[in-house]
Amino acid sequence: MGRTLFEKVWNKHIVRQIEDGPVVLYIDKHFIHEVTTPQAFAGLDKKGIKVFRPQNTVATADHNVPTKDQHLPIREALSKHQVDTLIKNCTNHGLELYGLGHPYQGIVHVIGPELGFTLPGMTIVCGDSHTSTHGAFGAIAFGIGTSEVEQVLATQCVLQMKPKTMRISIEGELEKGVTAKDIILYIISKISASGGTGYFVEYAGSAIRSLSMEGRMTICNMSIEMGARGGIIAPDETTFKYIQGRKFAPQGINFDKAVASWKQLATDDDAIFDKELHFDASDIEPMVTFGTNPGMGIKISQNIPDAERLLAQEKENFLKSLQYMGFQPNEPLLGKPVDYVFIGSCTNSRIEDLRAVANLVKGKRKAENVTVWIVPGSKKVELQAREEGIHTILEEAGFELREPGCSACLGMNEDKIPTGKYCISTSNRNFEGRQGPGARTLLASPIMAAAAALTGKITDVRQYF
């Protein structure tokens, strides 16, 4: 029997199989940040252990950092403590840190690929659920807990049960105005926020192959939002072109040798998945969420679903979610006013996202009632946006280009959405209070968010194409 892409990478990294238990899995690259590492480092210090392979560990500050005045001390006491603790721990263990002020600083899942740390065939972990982003390169990448962070720091291995495999194929051509973000929100709306639980998902099909690496990262990033352990896409020429010339990627003849190896990373024709799903790209429209989990999404042309067909418990949760959001069953989202627009996060803060927004808003002005934050995913993205003149277009439109960080994706820093306010966001989670206590989040693509910024209400971006 043939093997899936996931199985090929997984099997190559097994150090030992524990009888009737997990495997000891070798980890090629460990990304760390300030939120999930303090207890892990404290555990190492208590045991008198140093980081086993510092060269395999990449550290940055992203969750707690402010996105304005990064040259000044962090104002929030807890955020400052978290970042200071990371600095101390990296110094004590000889780890290079891309902290505030460093030209490589940024969101961990943005800097990994753009610097060439993320490569096909790798195993990658981070104490962050959206580590699945790196699967876009044909890597096995998944989030781990703090105790597992300690395991990897100490041994460069982690204990893991092998997940089941699922393949989701999207065939056909996407309509103008439909992006990778719409694909993944569409999938999650179809299978629910728990539809991928227990699986590692391979994304395939012509619609997936047509995406840029940035788009593929968006897809894999939100795998966790359907409950999956991670997502993976087979590497191809698009992948190799993206990697070539990156700072820490193989160079010269070593790159050529690596590509020859990476070309073997594909699912065999006779491989069998535990589950397969198929969708038609022509059925996908611009998407927007209406509830308090990413599975509660609809096409922009649709109304919020009726609750009558739901089971009692599902109905109760559904109506509770709508009450929090201030919506009613059967009503459209189109035309609903918004207060804030947030374009950023590890899902959609790359240069391609900023370019798409700039192209849409060039020569236009935002609605007076809307506050717009554009938060680049890294210092490199910020610099590139300024070099390309994107910052001028955004500023002339009334958008605020800020400094890199996780920002309003989560209420863990100074960028919070006020209670009761609606924010159309390019991030990945719309849980109650995710963007701040009482904040109401609607997930959408960067161009859908930009369209809402221009009109002050939820808008079908296709009207601009």
Side-chain angles (χ1 to χ4, degrees), residues 113-129:
E114 76 178 9
L115 291 172
F117 285 120
T118 302
L119 300 174
M122 278 186 164
T123 48
I124 298 170
V125 296
C126 175
D128 187 292
S129 54

Side-chain angles (χ1 to χ4, degrees), residues 160-201:
Q160 283 290 298
M161 298 296 293
K162 184 180 179 181
K164 294 180 289 184
T165 57
M166 179 192 296
R167 180 163 59 188
I168 297 178
S169 299
I170 312 285
E171 299 288 356
E173 191 172 335
L174 296 170
E175 182 183 358
K176 278 192 175 182
V178 176
T179 69
K181 184 63 163 287
D182 301 303
I183 294 175
I184 194 63
L185 286 174
Y186 173 89
I187 292 171
I188 300 169
S189 76
K190 290 293 185 183
I191 72 173
S192 84
S194 61
T197 302
Y199 292 92
F200 214 98
V201 178

Side-chain angles (χ1 to χ4, degrees), residues 16-262:
R16 184 160 65 93
Q17 173 70 59
I18 297 172
E19 188 175 354
D20 299 324
V23 301
V24 178
L25 192 70
Y26 181 77
I27 301 302
D28 293 306
K29 195 65 67 177
H30 186 194
F31 293 103
I32 64 172
H33 55 71
E34 71 273 25
V35 176
T36 52
T37 54
Q39 298 92 334
F41 279 113
L44 293 187
D45 295 342
K46 187 177 179 179
K47 299 178 182 73
I49 298 172
K50 289 294 184 182
V51 174
F52 182 56
R53 289 194 169 159
Q55 71 275 17
N56 292 36
T57 308
V58 178
T60 192
D62 56 5
H63 282 60
N64 288 117
V65 302
T67 59
K68 291 185 73 172
D69 299 325
Q70 289 186 346
H71 61 290
L72 298 176
I74 298 173
R75 290 194 295 267
E76 283 194 349
L78 179 58
S79 293
K80 185 177 188 305
H81 176 70
Q82 294 265 76
V83 173
D84 287 348
T85 301
L86 179 66
I87 294 170
K88 181 193 74 174
N89 285 326
C90 287
T91 300
N92 291 346
H93 288 266
L95 301 177
E96 184 168 9
L97 169 63
Y98 303 138
L100 289 179
H102 196 288
Y104 297 160
Q105 181 267 332
I107 302 173
V108 66
H109 307 311
V110 175
I111 70 166
E114 76 178 9
L115 291 172
F117 285 120
T118 302
L119 300 174
M122 278 186 164
T123 48
I124 298 170
V125 296
C126 175
D128 187 292
S129 54
H130 295 104
T131 308
S132 53
T133 306
H134 306 268
F137 291 79
I140 289 179
F142 53 90
I144 56 176
T146 296
S147 60
E148 293 170 313
V149 171
E150 184 179 345
Q151 279 181 29
V152 180
L153 290 173
T155 68
Q156 207 57 39
C157 295
V158 68
L159 293 169
Q160 283 290 298
M161 298 296 293
K162 184 180 179 181
K164 294 180 289 184
T165 57
M166 179 192 296
R167 180 163 59 188
I168 297 178
S169 299
I170 312 285
E171 299 288 356
E173 191 172 335
L174 296 170
E175 182 183 358
K176 278 192 175 182
V178 176
T179 69
K181 184 63 163 287
D182 301 303
I183 294 175
I184 194 63
L185 286 174
Y186 173 89
I187 292 171
I188 300 169
S189 76
K190 290 293 185 183
I191 72 173
S192 84
S194 61
T197 302
Y199 292 92
F200 214 98
V201 178
E202 178 175 345
Y203 300 96
S206 58
I208 299 297
R209 291 192 298 274
S210 73
L211 297 174
S212 65
M213 286 312 300
E214 289 86 350
R216 297 178 191 188
M217 284 186 261
T218 295
I219 297 278
C220 289
N221 173 274
M222 290 191 68
S223 301
I224 190 69
E225 307 310 336
M226 66 177 83
R229 196 71 184 92
I232 193 168
I233 296 172
D236 57 14
E237 290 301 323
T238 300
T239 318
F240 310 147
K241 286 177 183 176
Y242 179 94
I243 294 170
Q244 190 168 20
R246 300 275 167 181
K247 175 71 175 178
F248 296 102
Q251 306 294 327
I253 192 170
N254 290 329
F255 177 78
D256 296 334
K257 289 179 179 178
V259 169
S261 173
W262 295 339

Side-chain angles (χ1 to χ4, degrees), residues 265-276:
L265 295 173
T267 292
D268 296 330
D269 291 339
D270 56 344
I272 297 175
F273 289 83
D274 295 299
K275 188 172 185 177
E276 293 228 37

